[in-house]
Amino acid sequence: MKKELTGQLISEAIAMFLIIAFGDSVAAMYTLYTPSPYQQAYWGVCIAWGMAVTIAIYVTGSVSGCHGNPAVTLALAVYRKFSWRKVLPYCLAQVVGAFLGAATVYALFFPVIDQFNLTNHLTRAQGGAAGVFFTHPGLANAPMHAFTDEIILTAFLIFGIFAITEQFNEMAPGANGGALVIGLLVAVIGASMGYLEAWAINPARDLGPRLFCFLTGWGPSAFPSPGNYWWIPIVAPLLGALVGGGAYQLLILPFLPARDRALLAAAEDRQALKP
């Protein structure tokens, strides 16, 4: 049992490492280069993030289920009987993986980061190139409005994941296609709503890189962040997970025909076993 949990935690860390290593790298490509290859092709950023999630699922899903997100872990514990004993270890492993992913992106791009800040007369403490690593409200978007946004965006994410992975959903993708569709779901959220605050929708995705940046010169721009924003990408996605998961359990699951057939068959089996 201890070996199984150890493997699961390593798997969750690797999942987040992959997501951040690819995701923050595409953010670096978008932010640091002039002309950026993505300034007129933002969908490419979204696809890169989404496919990073897909790759992480294919790599680690057989070991840990590849939650890759504390919001997913919480929703599965509340609504789908995931062990509460594993919730905190999973979340910690995800943050560690995100931290290491950010460190890898930094190792790749730090000369470009420094050149970008020099060219734009910025320092790390002022937030220069911080958008490569962690999130912040976009144009005309106050922190508390961003809090509401992240609840809604994460609710969409969890609602979609529950639908894609529901065993009684006869329209769900078959075989191992769910990983691809989940990646596309992440990409669609980013493409449609990502400019609001860079669509964190994952506490570990923001917290791990933010911790790394705090230790490598970004200081107050990471913690507490302008407007004391740092806690919003942590708390809001967790609340959004409860909203999205609850909405699916209430509005869709009870009405799935395959579920009704399974419940009826189970009731008939119990009746047949009675003396």
Side-chain angles (χ1 to χ4, degrees), residues 221-236:
S221 66
F223 288 101
S225 188
N228 200 35
Y229 182 76
W230 70 270
W231 62 274
I232 289 175
I234 300 172
V235 176

Side-chain angles (χ1 to χ4, degrees), residues 20-30 38 49 104-105 108-109 132:
I20 297 302
F22 289 120
D24 278 2
S25 287
V26 78
M29 297 279 285
Y30 179 83
Y38 293 111
W49 274 102
T104 300
V105 173
L108 291 169
F109 286 96
V132 170

Side-chain angles (χ1 to χ4, degrees), residues 10-47:
I10 292 172
S11 179
E12 285 299 302
I14 290 173
M16 277 308 303
F17 171 82
L18 292 171
I19 291 169
I20 297 302
F22 289 120
D24 278 2
S25 287
V26 78
M29 297 279 285
Y30 179 83
T31 302
L32 302 177
Y33 289 89
T34 303
S36 166
Y38 293 111
Q39 285 289 350
Q40 303 302 320
Y42 174 66
W43 177 241
V45 174
C46 301
I47 282 290

Side-chain angles (χ1 to χ4, degrees), residues 7 36 38 72 80 103 118 120 135 144 164 196 199 205 238 241 258 268 273:
S36 166
Y38 293 111
V72 172
R80 294 204 169 172
L118 180 65
N120 290 280
T135 67
M144 290 313 299
I164 293 163
L196 289 169
W199 93 106
R205 173 264 174 275
L238 295 176
E268 290 173 347
L273 291 173

Side-chain angles (χ1 to χ4, degrees), residues 173-195:
N176 295 318
L180 179 60
V181 181
I182 290 171
L184 289 173
L185 172 62
V186 171
V188 167
I189 293 171
S192 56
M193 308 166 192
Y195 263 33

